[in-house]
């Protein structure tokens, strides 16, 4: 084993957003040197990295140069130049997750095809090279309404996804390679964080549940553990392990899933990194997801994934109609509630729906935590003033 | 309330050792700007502070200049120039804990006298201006053996404390102002972390127990909660609150105590800052001690102090006969154990008995955690190679 602790060993991290920032708490805890690259000179990870440089994550040469300066390279965002990662791997650099895994995940068409090949249950789909091809398939009645349209690349946080009820709905969409996906009749949206280290040791976190706003199509609460039957939970965790092993993934993989009305579990999509749905682990798990990612990519033993308590996570997003210097209204009120911890990502400026932070709410059981989370959600507002 | 989060508000921290380093995880979490001063250019807090400068913490002008650059000033070590803090307070700067509190605590004679005045139970004592005065008191038979000798200033981590069984034992000791303290017949050494914010809100953490090595006079394990009767625990927490209120303390106060053979609880000494005996809180408490210190000095509501699970803390100190570049032997083995988290402070060089880090061990109950802690203690070695 390499000696990572208080040595000159350096971990490179592509991307310096909030996920990178939170990972740095754990590199500092272990005293592991880091070198971070992000295009934004004021990225949240700028502070607490040993070295920080600005650079374009999609630029072959800049990623290559960064990679050559470090001992192990990882990323906190999928939009990085994968060819540079391939070159680095050929040069003998350790890159985790690997370029091969990332390539399969970056393109949603390849990702879906991968599930099909590996008999991983997922919603039915068809791929199209262009909007014209999709329109023709509709005309030929090979596609029926409603369905889910997804761009094959570049989607993030709901962008690149649209529910299509009639052909006209396609008009505003971009002309890109895309897929038609079956609109799944689901009871719950679930997610499982699965960690797999270099040696192949694998562990899953308890299943989390995404609770949506009753009218707005927006995740309001992430609950851990999910309020589902043990049998469904076990099925979801088994499936997450199968996905991780099939990808021969190294690092964290967040597997988003649907629980159908018949209690089938279908893989929706994956993210090969720490994930919003795993933030609960900072306060509630024996090992938080960021430390677990480090353990996995550095081939250390994985930490226990059991929970110390129940947890609910609420995202702090900018209020509509507010743009400018951020102010967290009623922060003091929510900090008065027991087991409430705000995480502020460090973005000076708020914009409508911008992810500015999150709040962890822990409690003895999920009912108590959920009830407290509602208080938090109703009180805290991310505004400008 | 001031707006601390993602603004230009700046917290100054005197001292950049491991306590400051761990406090910075929480200033980062809240996105609160920090300005740290420490004499060591490679201090553990150098990384993750927004601004870091080297400076002598005992130098009036350097402390004054640092204080003038920040909005609120705190410290992570007691050895700072208290006159500079007084000047800053006169200039209207918020300094927490206050210079008045720190002055009472820096001198152990003044501290003991304070307990007596405030009817806070503590071991019997006598103060002496010099070694000669103490020797004369012995000759006059005003002092009997055995007793505990303590230097009134400058003691830290066992330095400046000595058990005196006969007059000859005094010979190697320095000629300084000192005290004779009764040697207490105690069952347990306990500690309570108490937090008090600017508004006077006050909360205690559960009582922790320091378990000593059966032969070497060294703390081996810090257990939380302590394995003591509820009545004794309540007495200890009440006493800690009384101490904090008497000092009108703002911030964290670690109150070290003796549980006597008659189940009396006596205050031994206090530290006006986050403390080694509170490290368990990072993994085990609803609010960790560093976040709690920030809440207290920024006059935010205090966080819940309940525990999510039981915890034992083991210090990582340099092995005897090892000096040089540090290597953590069997780190991988201890990381394989469930609920085990190493904290590496970031000192490149180990020396015999140097505090290099600590390990948190959490579990469902204190017996399980204690048993796991023993495994950890037996495996991990801080050596040079």
């Amino acid at each position: 084993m390499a000696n990572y602790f208080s040595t000159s060993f350096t971990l490179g991290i592509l991307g310096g957003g909030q996920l990178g920032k939170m990972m740095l708490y754990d590199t500092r805890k272990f005293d592991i040197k880091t070198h971070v690259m992000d295009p934004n000179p004021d990225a949240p990870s700028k502070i607490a990295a040993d070295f920080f440089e600005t650079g374009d994550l999609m630029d072959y040469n800049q990623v290559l140069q960064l990679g050559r300066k470090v001992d192990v390279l990882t990323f906190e965002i999928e939009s990085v130049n994968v060819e540079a990662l391939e070159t680095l791997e050929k040069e003998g650099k350790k890159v985790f997750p690997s370029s091969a895994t990332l390539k399969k995940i970056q393109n949603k068409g390849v990702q879906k095809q991968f599930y099909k090949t590996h008999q991983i249950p997922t919603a039915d789909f068809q791929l199209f090279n262009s909007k014209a091809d999709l329109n023709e398939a509709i005309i030929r009645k090979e596609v029926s309404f409603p369905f889910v349209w997804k761009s094959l690349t570049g989607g993030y946080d709901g962008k690149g996804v649209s529910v299509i009820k009639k052909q006209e709905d396609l008009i505003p969409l971009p002309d890109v390679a895309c897929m038609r996906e079956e609109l799944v009749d689901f009871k719950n949206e679930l997610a499982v964080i699965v960690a797999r280290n270099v040696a192949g040791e694998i562990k899953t976190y308890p299943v989390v549940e995404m609770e949506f706003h009753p009218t707005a199509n927006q995740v309001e609460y992430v609950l851990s553990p999910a309020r589902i039957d043990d049998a469904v939970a076990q099925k979801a965790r088994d499936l997450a392990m199968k996905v991780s092993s099939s990808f021969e993934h190294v690092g964290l993989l967040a597997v988003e899933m649907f629980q159908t009305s018949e209690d089938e579990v279908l893989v929706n999509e994956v993210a090969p990194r720490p994930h919003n749905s795993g933030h609960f682990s900072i306060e509630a798990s024996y090992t938080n997801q960021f430390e677990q990612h480090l353990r996995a990519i550095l081939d250390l033993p994985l930490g226990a994934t059991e929970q110390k308590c129940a947890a609910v996570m609420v995202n702090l997003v900018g209020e509509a109609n507010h743009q400018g210097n951020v102010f967290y209204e009623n922060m003091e009120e929510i900090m008065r509630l027991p087991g409430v911890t705000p995480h502020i990502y460090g973005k000076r400026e708020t914009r409508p729906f911008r992810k500015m932070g999150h709040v962890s709410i822990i409690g003895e059981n999920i009912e108590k935590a959920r009830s407290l989370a509602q208080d938090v959600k109703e009180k805290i507002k991310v505004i400008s003033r």
Side-chain angles (χ1 to χ4, degrees), chain A residues 197-320:
Chain A
N197 72 9
V198 182
E201 185 190 3
I202 189 164
K203 280 191 181 169
T204 58
Y205 282 82
V207 184
V208 303
E209 169 191 349
M210 265 79 88
E211 188 183 332
F212 282 71
H213 186 277
T215 54
N217 183 35
Q218 209 183 20
V219 179
E220 279 208 292
Y221 306 102
V222 176
L223 293 89
S224 182
R227 296 163 298 183
I228 56 173
D229 286 351
D230 288 352
V232 176
Q234 194 54 53
K235 203 189 281 186
R237 292 176 82 158
D238 289 345
L239 182 54
M241 286 210 268
K242 184 176 179 183
V243 174
S244 174
S245 302
S246 301
F247 277 120
E248 293 181 339
H249 186 72
V250 172
L252 280 203
L253 191 72
V255 185
E256 297 187 63
M257 305 168 178
F258 296 118
Q259 177 188 2
T260 70
S261 46
E262 280 84 36
D263 283 345
E264 283 304 297
V265 180
L266 305 178
V267 172
N268 180 18
E269 58 185 58
V270 300
R273 52 169 170 78
H275 192 257
N276 194 262
S277 65
H279 289 344
F280 76 91
S281 64
I282 298 176
E283 281 80 15
S285 302
Y286 268 49
T287 311
N288 79 60
Q289 65 167 341
F290 300 98
E291 178 181 333
Q292 195 75 296
H293 184 68
L294 295 175
R295 285 173 176 246
I297 63 175
L298 300 177
D299 205 18
L300 291 165
L302 296 180
T305 57
E306 282 77 12
Q307 282 187 228
K308 297 182 262 196
C309 51
V312 177
M313 195 276 299
V314 170
N315 283 314
L316 286 178
V317 299
E319 290 288 307

Side-chain angles (χ1 to χ4, degrees), chain A residues 4-5 11 13 18-34 48 50 205 274 281-282 286-295 298 300 343:
Chain A
Y4 307 115
F5 310 96
L11 173 68
I13 307 173
Q18 59 260 25
L19 298 172
K21 180 194 172 190
M22 290 186 267
M23 203 186 297
L24 294 181
Y25 303 155
D26 295 284
T27 58
R28 294 295 302 137
K29 184 170 79 184
F30 288 166
D31 196 39
I32 292 173
K33 273 206 167 44
T34 48
D50 291 74
Y205 282 82
S281 64
I282 298 176
Y286 268 49
T287 311
N288 79 60
Q289 65 167 341
F290 300 98
E291 178 181 333
Q292 195 75 296
H293 184 68
L294 295 175
R295 285 173 176 246
L298 300 177
L300 291 165
H343 289 253

Side-chain angles (χ1 to χ4, degrees), chain A residues 118-159:
Chain A
H118 289 81
Q119 278 132 31
I120 290 164
T122 189
D124 188 37
F125 68 99
Q126 285 163 276
L127 304 180
F128 301 96
N129 284 322
S130 66
K131 191 149 98 167
D133 285 3
L134 170 57
N135 269 315
E136 283 171 19
I138 293 171
I139 292 160
R140 285 198 302 268
K141 311 236 186 266
E142 291 164 13
V143 169
S144 59
F145 300 103
F147 67 87
V148 179
W149 171 92
K150 284 185 179 173
S151 163
L152 296 191
T153 54
Y156 182 64
D157 261 357
K159 276 176 229 164

